[in-house]
Structures are given as structure tokens and as C-alpha cells.
Amino acid sequence: MSGEDECEKKCFTFIWKLENASYCWQKTGDCIESSSFEIDELEETKWKLRLFHRSASTRNAIGFYLLRDSDSKGAMKAEIDYELAILASDGSALQSSEKTKGTFQKNSTSGLFVSRNEVFVARSTFLPQDTFTLRCKMWKRVGEMSKDVQCFARTRIFVEEMSFLWKIKDFSTLESDEKQTYEIKSLESGQQLMCLELFVTGGQIFDEKIRFVVIPNYQIIKTSSFQLFIVDASKNLVECFQDEFWYLDPSGRREVFFLTKKKLMERKNVYLPDDVLSLQCEFSFTSGIVLREGNRILSECISVENNGLNGRRLQKENDTPVLKCILSNNLKSMVNNSCLSDVKLKTKSQTYPAHKTILGARSPVFKAMFSSDMREKIIDCVDVEDLNDDTVLRMLRYIYSAEVEELEWVSAIELYEAADKYVVLHLRDICSYFLKNSLCPSNACEALVLADLHQDDDLKSFVQDFIFRHGKDVINSEEWEKLMETNLKLAAETMRVKYKE
């Protein structure tokens, strides 16, 4: 078998997204794991991925391992070919292992290492939106799998965020070593999470230094991030201090000098209006709660990560701190709720109450309707009879909550069309991402027509590339024959692209 044929062998691909990855708290030698996945065509063997934030063998490295589960079925020794990779936001491999022959007994592992410094210096590359994306490809050592399968899983480290304003009155009268204290407490339990201390120290008044101390409660906090700003008289934020705290830190506290009293007093009209020092504090932390989503499996699908999505990815809908979750839930409760509604969306069979302000904020089309003397503004009703009830409800749920329910091929196409009509662009991108993931020879022509109709060059190019790589399966299909009959121009254009120099 040639090297090219070997690369085209069908395989099982597992993609794992670890969200809020910079909040990993595990000490050296401890790991965070993906959910398990079972591969039917490899004797129903069970596997998972492990991430060691601090590798035991190389302290300045992050270790990424493939593990065969201890309760795995199959032979005592599973012989496979595999490849591990760390992916960028566009799906390209930032680092990857060579395709390797491996023999895995139960509870045995094999790994890939990447420099911690490299990851955190190039954070935007390795951790876009603070998400680590890891991929494992697996092939049969002998023979070939009957189909390509992709499996997706997501793990989210739960992060809470707090923002508050700390005002220190009569600042000019603070005496040396006089301490001001602020306690940050959990909104849920009331327990102290962190203690902030501010005091001046030094000799003469104009030589006195302002010191700021952060003392986390490591019985609760595993890892945290803290930012401190001075709020000036014009409400501008002047950054003074930013740091990250790990519960493994032996010092257990941070002390920093950020200004002299002289500097503040010299510009008291700017920094001390009414003799008040205002400090804006931004605090985020994890207490070690990990949320895992079950695996989503797509069969007979194209490998999206290698086909240029221009960085567009399904955004994490639920990665919000506690207070934002409350806001999101409150807005979500207003969907299909007539309370305070001032407009209706009318399909052929249903009427959905809505709110002009929210619709206008999320869609420029709705905004234009309600900002001018259009019919919809006058009668407080928008006719959407070209959309079915399910699509309208899905679109409203996204508009109010930024969440998308589980999609199927038909519902994704219908929601894509609605999102394009009302210019809800991110929702359209989410649907496009799903369609790209779900392409197969039998639906490629439908996706091509959709992309062409809506002038979506990104989706159109992606589908055409799929058709080129699966030429015989698509060109010999009934769907292609139908395309030739109904849209010969589009079929001919696609063939010209293929043979264009």
C-alpha cells in the first residue's frame, strides 16, 4: 500500500475541547480527563484522553496522552496506529506526533508533550478563547474501518467571575500602616473567597508607599485571576495590578507596591475626587468543578479541522459566570412569554410574542423594521409565514439566550436560511459549521445549492472542495443528476473550479 493510500485509510477521530484551560489547577503528575469513547470497530475498546497541566516527567511541559481504559473490552493487547495533535482555532495542527504504531494494554498510555512556556506565551494561538483543542486519530493496524467517524467531546472548568468597586474614603487622612480591608465572599455560600488589604507604609507622607495585598482562600479556590484598576474622576480605568494565583503557591498571598501617596496627592483632582480612592476589582476563580458533555458522533463526515473554516467555530454557549448565567436564564424565560411583549411574530399556524428592543439589538433587519415607519412597526406584528414554527422558536431562543438546540440536517438548513434572512450572522455561522461537519456524498449537492443561493462563498468553497475529494461518490449520485437537471449552471461552475489552473 502506498503512503498516499495509507493516509487516506478511514479512521476514528476524537476531538476534545477543554474550556477555561488556563484555570487548570492540577499539581505535577495529576491530570484532567475527557469523557470515555468506545470504538466498535476496534473490538469495542474504550479510550479517553488525559491532559497533564504539569507533566511529572518534564515539569516545564504539558503532557497530552491517549489512554486505554482499565474496563475496556477487546483483546489484552490492542494494536492500532494513532496520531495526537493540538489544534489551532482554524483546525490546523499546531503540534502533532507522527503516525505511530502502538500496542495498548488496559490502562496503558502514550503521549505528546508541548512546552508550557510556548503555550502560555502564545496563548491566543494555543488557547483561543481559553480553549485547548486536542485531537486523536486512530486507524486499524490490519485492514481498514468501514467508515470515517468523528467524535466530539467538551469539558469545561467552571469559572466564577466577580466585579466590584471598592471605595476608600478620606484617603488623604490614612496614617502609616493603617490597613483597609475588603472581603470577597461567595454569593452562594457566604464563605470568604479572598481578602484584599490596602495600607500605606514608609516615612514622610510624600514618601509613603501604597501597598496592596491579595490573600486567596485556598480551601475553596484552586486557581484565580485578579485585576485591579484605579477609577479616575472621568470614570476611566487605570490598570495597576494583574496576577494569577495557584493553590499550589507556597506563599499563599501576593503583596505589590503600585503607587506612592505623593503621586496620588499631586493629581488628587484626577485620582481622588472628594478625597475618595476608587478601585475597580475584577476577580475570577475556579473551585475545581468540572463539567463534561457527552460525546457527539458524526459518521461518514469530512474532517473539518483541515479544511479552512477561517477560524469560525461553534462558540461555547454556556461558558458564562454565575451572574451572567442568571441574566441569560432571565432573558430565556421571556421567549414565547407575552409579559411586556410589544410585537408578535406570526407563522402560518402560530403567533409568538417578542420584544422589539431585544429583536432590534440582535438583528439589523428587525432594527430597521422598528426604527422606521414600516408596516411591522405600525401594526406591531411581523409576518414570518415563510418559516415553520420550529425554526422561528429556535431563532428566538438563540436571539434571547445565544443558545442553539441540538441540530439535525434539515433543521440546520432551515435555521441557516432564517438567520441569513434576518442577518443574525453568528447563528448562521453556527448552522454553517454544523453543515460542514455533516457533509456526505448524498447531501453535498443540497448544501452547494444552499450556499450558492445565499451567496455564502465560504460555505460554497468548502462544499466544492468536499465534492472534488469525493468525486466519484458525488458525481455518480442521484443528487448530482438532479442538480444537473435543475441547476446546470452551478454544476458546470463547480467543475470549472476543479479544473481551473
Side-chain angles (χ1 to χ4, degrees):
M1 179 177 292
S2 68
E4 183 178 353
D5 291 338
E6 181 69 21
C7 292
E8 293 179 355
K9 284 181 63 175
K10 291 181 172 61
C11 69
F12 183 97
T13 302
F14 182 72
I15 296 176
W16 177 36
K17 289 184 176 290
L18 174 60
E19 298 175 1
N20 294 327
S22 65
Y23 287 85
C24 284
W25 68 89
Q26 288 76 13
K27 61 184 180 181
T28 302
D30 287 346
C31 68
I32 187 167
E33 295 182 338
S34 73
S35 53
S36 297
F37 55 96
E38 190 172 282
I39 307 179
D40 293 339
E41 293 199 52
L42 292 178
E43 299 182 336
E44 297 182 336
T45 48
K46 187 187 292 186
W47 309 78
K48 66 176 61 169
L49 298 183
R50 280 180 171 175
L51 183 72
F52 288 82
H53 202 241
R54 293 172 178 80
S55 172
S57 57
T58 309
R59 293 180 62 87
N60 192 35
I62 296 173
F64 164 34
Y65 289 82
L66 171 64
L67 166 74
R68 184 182 176 191
D69 258 1
S70 56
D71 63 345
S72 175
K73 298 179 182 178
M76 184 64 68
K77 294 182 180 180
E79 295 186 347
I80 63 167
D81 294 336
Y82 68 95
E83 176 194 87
L84 302 174
I86 300 169
L87 304 185
S89 59
D90 63 358
S92 61
L94 294 169
Q95 288 201 15
S96 63
S97 66
E98 299 289 337
K99 187 174 181 181
T100 306
K101 294 182 178 181
T103 300
F104 288 80
Q105 297 182 357
K106 296 179 181 180
N107 212 33
S108 63
T109 64
S110 181
L112 169 69
F113 296 92
V114 59
S115 165
R116 282 179 53 79
N117 291 338
E118 183 176 359
V119 169
F120 287 100
V121 169
R123 187 185 295 249
S124 61
T125 300
F126 282 89
L127 299 173
Q129 297 182 323
D130 204 16
T131 298
F132 222 158
T133 304
L134 308 173
R135 182 189 68 195
C136 176
K137 288 188 172 184
M138 304 168 71
W139 295 265
K140 279 186 175 183
R141 176 75 59 79
V142 178
E144 184 176 1
M145 295 185 180
S146 62
K147 58 187 176 182
D148 284 315
V149 174
Q150 282 191 354
C151 183
F152 298 86
R154 185 174 75 164
T155 300
R156 179 162 57 97
I157 298 173
F158 185 66
V159 174
E160 297 184 61
E161 294 182 356
M162 295 183 179
S163 177
F164 57 90
L165 185 65
W166 181 15
K167 292 188 175 183
I168 301 173
K169 298 180 180 180
D170 302 321
F171 178 81
S172 64
T173 65
L174 288 181
E175 297 181 0
S176 182
D177 295 326
E178 181 181 348
K179 186 184 297 182
Q180 300 290 314
T181 303
Y182 192 103
E183 292 185 350
I184 305 174
K185 295 185 178 181
S186 168
L187 297 176
E188 183 177 351
S189 66
Q191 291 179 288
Q192 179 180 303
L193 301 172
M194 183 176 283
C195 181
L196 312 179
E197 296 178 352
L198 181 143
F199 56 95
V200 293
T201 184
Q204 307 260 337
I205 182 170
F206 289 117
D207 294 326
E208 288 179 328
K209 298 177 180 179
I210 302 171
R211 296 189 180 275
F212 188 80
V213 180
V214 182
I215 309 172
N217 178 1
Y218 286 130
Q219 292 182 345
I220 298 176
I221 294 174
K222 301 297 184 183
T223 257
S224 65
S225 175
F226 187 84
Q227 285 183 283
L228 177 71
F229 305 86
I230 292 179
V231 184
D232 67 19
S234 301
K235 308 299 183 184
N236 297 315
L237 299 182
V238 181
E239 184 173 337
C240 297
F241 172 69
Q242 179 176 358
D243 207 349
E244 296 179 347
F245 303 84
W246 306 82
Y247 85 113
L248 299 171
D249 186 351
S251 67
R253 59 187 281 151
R254 289 284 197 281
E255 181 174 338
V256 63
F257 153 72
F258 66 90
L259 273 177
T260 63
K261 192 171 184 179
K262 178 181 179 180
K263 285 189 175 181
L264 287 181
M265 296 299 292
E266 286 176 345
R267 303 193 65 191
K268 60 183 180 181
N269 291 336
V270 176
Y271 295 124
L272 299 171
D274 300 322
D275 203 18
V276 175
L277 177 63
S278 298
L279 300 174
Q280 179 70 25
C281 306
E282 307 286 345
F283 171 53
S284 59
F285 72 95
T286 181
S287 57
I289 298 174
V290 176
L291 308 175
R292 290 185 175 87
E293 280 192 3
N295 301 328
R296 181 167 60 91
I297 297 176
L298 298 174
S299 298
E300 291 293 343
C301 61
I302 182 171
S303 179
V304 172
E305 67 273 13
N306 293 322
N307 288 278
L309 294 185
N310 298 323
R312 297 179 183 174
R313 280 293 181 268
L314 179 61
Q315 301 296 311
K316 43 189 178 182
E317 300 94 359
N318 299 316
D319 184 16
T320 53
V322 172
L323 295 180
K324 290 182 181 179
C325 284
I326 294 172
L327 174 62
S328 176
N329 289 334
N330 288 342
L331 288 174
K332 197 188 311 181
S333 69
M334 298 174 70
V335 178
N336 206 20
N337 189 330
S338 59
C339 179
L340 302 179
S341 68
D342 54 3
V343 70
K344 295 180 176 63
L345 303 187
K346 186 178 179 181
T347 68
K348 291 180 179 179
S349 58
Q350 293 285 339
T351 299
Y352 297 92
H355 306 80
K356 293 178 181 177
T357 302
I358 295 177
L359 295 182
R362 301 284 275 162
S363 161
V365 175
F366 284 128
K367 182 179 180 180
M369 286 182 184
F370 307 138
S371 301
S372 59
D373 293 329
M374 295 179 68
R375 176 176 179 272
E376 289 82 2
K377 179 181 178 181
I378 297 171
I379 67 174
D380 294 328
C381 183
V382 180
D383 185 353
V384 290
E385 291 188 1
D386 56 324
L387 305 179
N388 62 46
D389 296 337
D390 179 68
T391 300
V392 171
L393 195 53
R394 283 175 181 269
M395 183 173 69
L396 283 174
R397 284 173 178 160
Y398 177 81
I399 286 174
Y400 279 76
S401 69
E403 295 180 0
V404 181
E405 295 180 344
E406 191 72 22
L407 293 170
E408 297 180 354
W409 181 263
V410 173
S411 61
I413 286 182
E414 293 171 342
L415 192 56
Y416 174 99
E417 292 175 326
D420 187 67
K421 177 179 179 180
Y422 292 101
V423 197
V424 187
L425 296 181
H426 186 230
L427 176 59
R428 190 187 76 166
D429 283 349
I430 291 174
C431 296
S432 175
Y433 172 78
F434 177 88
L435 296 173
K436 291 171 181 177
N437 266 288
S438 306
L439 282 176
C440 63
S442 63
N443 62 30
C445 293
E446 184 178 14
L448 181 63
V449 171
L450 177 76
D452 183 65
L453 179 64
H454 292 272
Q455 299 179 340
D456 187 340
D457 292 337
D458 175 63
L459 178 59
K460 185 175 181 179
S461 175
F462 191 95
V463 176
Q464 287 175 331
D465 182 65
F466 176 89
I467 292 173
F468 302 155
R469 290 182 296 104
H470 297 75
K472 291 183 179 179
D473 293 334
V474 177
I475 302 302
N476 293 328
S477 67
E478 294 180 2
E479 290 77 16
W480 183 262
E481 289 185 8
K482 183 177 179 181
L483 178 67
M484 295 279 287
E485 294 174 359
T486 59
N487 200 333
L488 180 60
K489 182 179 178 181
L490 178 59
E493 176 192 336
T494 300
M495 289 298 97
R496 280 198 303 272
V497 171
K498 176 176 176 60
Y499 293 107
K500 185 177 181 180
E501 296 184 356

